[in-house]
Structure formats: C-alpha cells, structure tokens
Amino acid sequence: MAAPILKLSNVSKSFGPIDVLHDISLEVRAGEVLCLLGDNGAGKSTLIKLMSGVYQPTAGRIEMDGKEDHFPNPRAAAEKGIATVHQFGGTFPLMSIGRSFFVGVEPTKGWGPFKVYDRKKANAIAVEAVQKLGITRITDGDRLVGGLSGGERQSLAIARAVHFGARVLILDEPTAALGVKQATHVLRIVNEAKRRGLAVIFITHQVMHAMAVGDHFAVLIRGAIASDFRKGEKTREEITDLMAGGASMANLEAEIESAFGEDDEKTPRVA
Amino acid sequence: MSSSPSLSIGALLRRPETGSFLGLVAVFLFFTAFGGTNFASPTGAASWLNVAAQLGIVAIPIGLLMIAGELDISIGSIIPAGSMTCAIISGYYDLPIWIGVGAALALGAVIGLINGILVIRTAVPSFIVTLGTLFAVAGMTLGFSVLVTGTTSVAIKVPEAKWLLGDFIAGIYQVTIFWWIGAALFWSFVLHASPLGNWIFAMGGDKVSARNAGIPTERMTVMLFVCSGMSAAFVGLSQAILYNSAQVSAGQSYIFNSIISVVVGGVLLTGGYGSVFGIVLGTLTFAVVSQGIYFTGFDANWASLIIGVLLLGAVLMNNTFRKAALSYTPKKGTK
C-alpha cells in the first residue's frame, strides 16, 4: 500500500488549560476517503484547523509524504496541496462563477500595466472544471455563485480545489445543510475526487453519508479518537452508537420509551 | 466596461447600475418637466455637472472601499485639509504651486495610510477609525491654519495652474469634469478589467476566504484608503485653485453626499457588489436633484426630502435587481 500523503502522529492541541484534542493519530492515502465522524463539540473543527494551517499543534508531529512538516498558516498548507472546503463553500455569493473560481490567480491577457482579466478564458475553464466533476447544469460562467444551490456551490469549491492541484481535500460538513438529492450530488463528487487520486478527509456527523463514500473511518469523542476502522468492519448501528458517546442507541430508545410509558394514560402512544 | 455577454433586456436588468440608471432618468425627466428648458440647457447642465464632478472624484474611491467592505468618512476633513495645505503653501507662503499640490496630495495619502493601517492592525470597524481621523484632521486643519496664518480662510492666486486644476471651460464647465471622466475611466479599468478588481470584490464578499485564496487583503485595504485620501485632497486643492481661496470648514457635506451617491449607484453597503459606472450615475443623480431644485419654483429646502426618498427608493430597487441577478439561471425549470 502506498505511503500516506498526510499523517498525524500523537497530535494534541490545547488552548490554555483546555485540552481540545488529545493524542490524535491519523493517516490518509491518495485515492482514499477518510471519514471523520463525531458529535458537535467533539473537536472536528479544531482538527481540520490543525491540518489546514489555521492552528499549530501543541504536541505531536504532522508528516507529509513521509517527511515531518508543519503549516505555519493557511497559505502554506494550501501551497503544499491541502485544500479546505467549508460548509458554505467559502465562495463569494455576489461574484460570477468564473471570477470566484479564479480569485487570487486571475488569468489575464494583454501586456504591462494593461493586463486585463480574461473573462472568457476564466469562465470557460471554470465551467469545464465543474462539468468534468459531473455538474452538467452549470453552463454559464457569468452566473452569480449566490444563485447556485448549496450542492452546486460545494461542487464548485471542490472543482476549484481539484483544478488547482490539491492533493488532500478537507471537506468540512459538506452535506450538513443539504437536502437528500443535493447531498447525493456532493457525495458523487467526493467519489469522483477520490477516483482522481486525491486524498479526501470528509468530516460529517451523518453516518449514512460517511458510509456511502468512506474507506476508512475515525470516530472522535471529546477530543480523542474513540475508534478507527476500515470499510465493512462495523455496521451503521455500531457507528451511531459510537458517536453517541458509547451509550448505545438502543439504550437511548429504551429511555425515551420509558419516559413515554410513565404517562401512558395522558399521551397516546405513537405507533 | 467588461462587456456583458448578451445585450438582452434581461442581462441589462441584472447589472448593478440598472437601478441608478432608471433613477437618473426619473429625476432628469422630473426636473426637466418642472424646471423648464433652463435645467437641460448648457448653463443648467453645467451647474449640476460641476457639482457632480467634484463629488464624483471622491465618490468612486469611496465606492471601491465600500465594495471591499470598508467605509471612509474622514474625506470630510481631508478635503478642507488639502485645500488649506495647498493655499497656505502656495498662497500664504507664495511657494510654487506644484509644491502646494504635491504637499496636499501627500497629506491625503498619509491620512489614508493612517486610516488603512489602523483598520488592519486594530480590529476596529473602519467607520469608527475614520470617524476618529475625521475629527482629528478637522482639528489639526483648524489649529494649524490659525497658528500659521491667524485666520481660517486663506487666499491663493495661481493663474499658471488654473487651466489644469481650476478653470472654467467655455466659461461655465469646471475643468474638474474632465478629471472626473479620467478618474472614472481609470477606476473602471481597475475594478472591472484588471485582476485587482476581482480582489476588491472578493474582499467585500468574504475577507477570510479572500485571504485564504492568497489575496494580500491588508495591502489592498491600505492602498484603497490611500487612494480615497488622495482623491479627497485632490478635490480640496482644486477647489482652492478654482475659488482662489480655501476655508477650514468646507467638506463635511461630502461625507454623506458621497455615500448617497455610491449607494444610489448600486453598491451594496456590506460590500462585494457594485460598479464604477453605477457610482457615476449615482453621483449624477444626486447632483441633478440637489441643483435641479433651483430651476423649479419649489423652495430649495425640499431637495433634501427628494434625496432622502430617492436614497430609500434606490436601495429597495437595487435589492430587487440584485435578487434578480442572483436567481438568474440560463435555462428555465432548474432550481
């Protein structure tokens, strides 16, 4: 098996006296989707920020391609090929698709001080990149990003990362705010990115979405990895139970049941 | 302009300047109807074009700052500061005019630099930072003027520079009108054609994402403040040369007038959306209303009422057009 692109060994992060992440070890390989599961407050966002250069780890080491590395700022991480796509796409709602695709790296034509932003080229490349990922509904690069659906915005952001040569794609809850159909769309694009050999880190608390695309799973509970397993090693129920902090879903159901049971006379039972 | 792909009515309606264009047509027709032929005559046109030109030169960089998500109200005292600097150096001390002009522009640049650095170094909103410099610069202008000249109004006679900065063409059109046209062309290029324009839009859309995309947001912010400071100083010094004198308190009205022009011109107050052409139209609209009232039989006091209503109407209209632009899809039936 190929060496991992990104590897975290015994990484911890604390803010003053508060330990947010404790002894995290993770690795992700090219063409593999690592799903990071965890309830709200489990430390998922902090972990992403460590990997994308927003925060520095308090202890432990980060390796890229087998060599120790560190990302002093988001720019440095991006230059090494780590792209982060946030829940709302991190895009600019009132800019056109072409313009927002090329923010910071605008294609130009002309010479000297008269270098002019090349709208046609930008639009053509942006539309092509998005279509290659399977979003065929985007055909006009002049459309404003804010007019796209949530799923399309996510796809645009992923297409942008892929186009600019990302090797590790960190997706922060890309499906959380989406409907079923839109989420399916995004999951298909995650699969497409994986097929192209990107290492994908997919953060979610929706077990269904994780199981649809994941090869490797890590469950985060209160800042520590509670479980680390590969595809097919655990059932959906087991994963859900893990995320709920060990308290099994069955217990939870029983608890709710009994709460209803106590005032059975007043409340009609929901069948 | 970075041309729009299709010239259909729909595509025109989705541009940020549509609202201001309709507004301008409306007020123009209104004042032509009530002000008679004088209003639209060359002399009448000069009265509002002259006002528009001086306001327009500051309104455009203010608009760009607003597109980038910032605000600069310190221009209200940079204008008289530039005016006084030029008049004291080239009028009171009788030094060559280019020293006065250079010093005024440098002063505007320095105040802009201070604004910019304070905004990026402290997390204080630019409204508060420039409110501070607005008062500080106003106080400094008054203090220094009285200290140096013993008065709050200084005469300046520079016939050799008038043709360039403060003359009337054909006896009625201020030469600043051409400076305004030049500025509009320059800023149109920057905002709509050069990659820098894309950065400005991105900064106003989402500053953090823009920085993560590699845009030097801090340097851009400082640069925009320097530009608005210098533009304000330019308006100040050209006023001094035009009127042959400078006063310490001539500029506060520019603060709101420029913001009104920019907002009527279709710039989104929170940033990320707008156009230079729209700002130009907004400035013209403002000037037409504020001057047009004198051509009608109405009491001039009503002008502010019209401007107020116009501003609210423009904001509502621009919201509608922006929504139309957002919901635009090339094919029907997609959601």
Side-chain angles (χ1 to χ4, degrees), chain A residues 74-75 90 92-95 99 102-104 106 108 113-117 119 137 139-140 142-144 146-147 149 160, chain B residues 3 5 189 192-195 198-199 202 206 209-210 212-215 268 272-273 322 325-326 328-331 334-335:
Chain A
R75 187 89 207 254
F92 311 98
L94 290 163
M95 285 172 81
R99 277 180 174 266
F102 280 100
V103 157
E106 292 79 6
T108 53
F114 300 106
K115 276 209 181 72
V116 168
Y117 165 73
R119 190 185 116 250
R137 280 221 308 256
T139 51
D140 182 354
D142 277 325
R143 267 178 76 183
L144 298 185
S149 71
R160 185 173 192 270
Chain B
S3 65
F189 177 81
H192 300 294
S194 83
N198 218 29
W199 298 5
D206 182 348
S209 297
N212 287 345
I215 294 172
L268 183 60
Y273 196 67
R322 198 168 53 247
L326 274 175
Y328 157 69
T329 42
K331 280 180 223 112
T334 48
K335 203 194 119 202

Side-chain angles (χ1 to χ4, degrees), chain B residues 78-93 99-108 111 141 145 154 156 233 236-237 240 246:
Chain B
I78 299 178
I79 291 173
S83 210
M84 286 306 282
T85 307
C86 185
I88 290 175
I89 290 176
S90 301
Y92 189 77
Y93 288 115
I99 298 182
V101 169
L105 290 178
L107 179 77
I111 300 167
T141 310
S145 303
V154 175
I156 171 172
L237 70 90

Side-chain angles (χ1 to χ4, degrees), chain B residues 62-85:
Chain B
I62 293 294
L64 261 68
L65 267 171
M66 276 166 71
I67 293 173
E70 305 290 350
L71 204 58
D72 183 1
I73 60 171
S74 68
I75 51 141
S77 49
I78 299 178
I79 291 173
S83 210
M84 286 306 282
T85 307

Side-chain angles (χ1 to χ4, degrees), chain A residues 23-74:
Chain A
D23 208 18
I24 304 280
S25 296
L26 280 176
E27 52 183 54
V28 61
R29 294 181 167 79
E32 188 182 79
V33 177
L34 165 67
C35 289
L36 264 180
L37 294 151
D39 207 355
N40 294 339
K44 288 175 298 183
S45 326
T46 311
L47 188 51
I48 300 168
K49 285 177 178 160
L50 281 181
M51 292 188 282
S52 59
V54 179
Y55 295 151
Q56 309 306 315
T58 319
R61 61 190 255 145
I62 298 179
E63 284 173 31
M64 244 193 129
D65 298 315
K67 284 193 286 278
E68 177 154 16
D69 211 336
H70 67 106
F71 315 123
N73 53 54

Side-chain angles (χ1 to χ4, degrees), chain A residues 185-252:
Chain A
H185 237 68
V186 171
L187 292 175
R188 220 169 38 223
I189 285 170
V190 170
N191 253 330
E192 178 62 28
K194 164 185 157 180
R195 206 182 55 78
R196 288 168 179 233
L198 272 83
V200 182
I201 300 174
F202 182 71
I203 290 96
T204 185
H205 57 244
Q206 275 150 311
V207 182
M208 285 279 279
H209 293 165
M211 295 195 68
V213 292
D215 298 300
H216 186 176
F217 303 82
V219 178
L220 214 57
I221 294 176
R222 272 174 258 113
I225 293 198
S227 182
D228 187 342
F229 51 94
R230 300 198 67 81
K231 191 175 185 163
E233 288 177 6
K234 278 195 165 51
T235 65
R236 199 181 124 206
E237 284 71 26
E238 285 174 309
I239 302 173
T240 316
D241 290 351
L242 267 169
M243 278 173 64
S248 86
M249 209 62 190
N251 285 348
L252 210 63

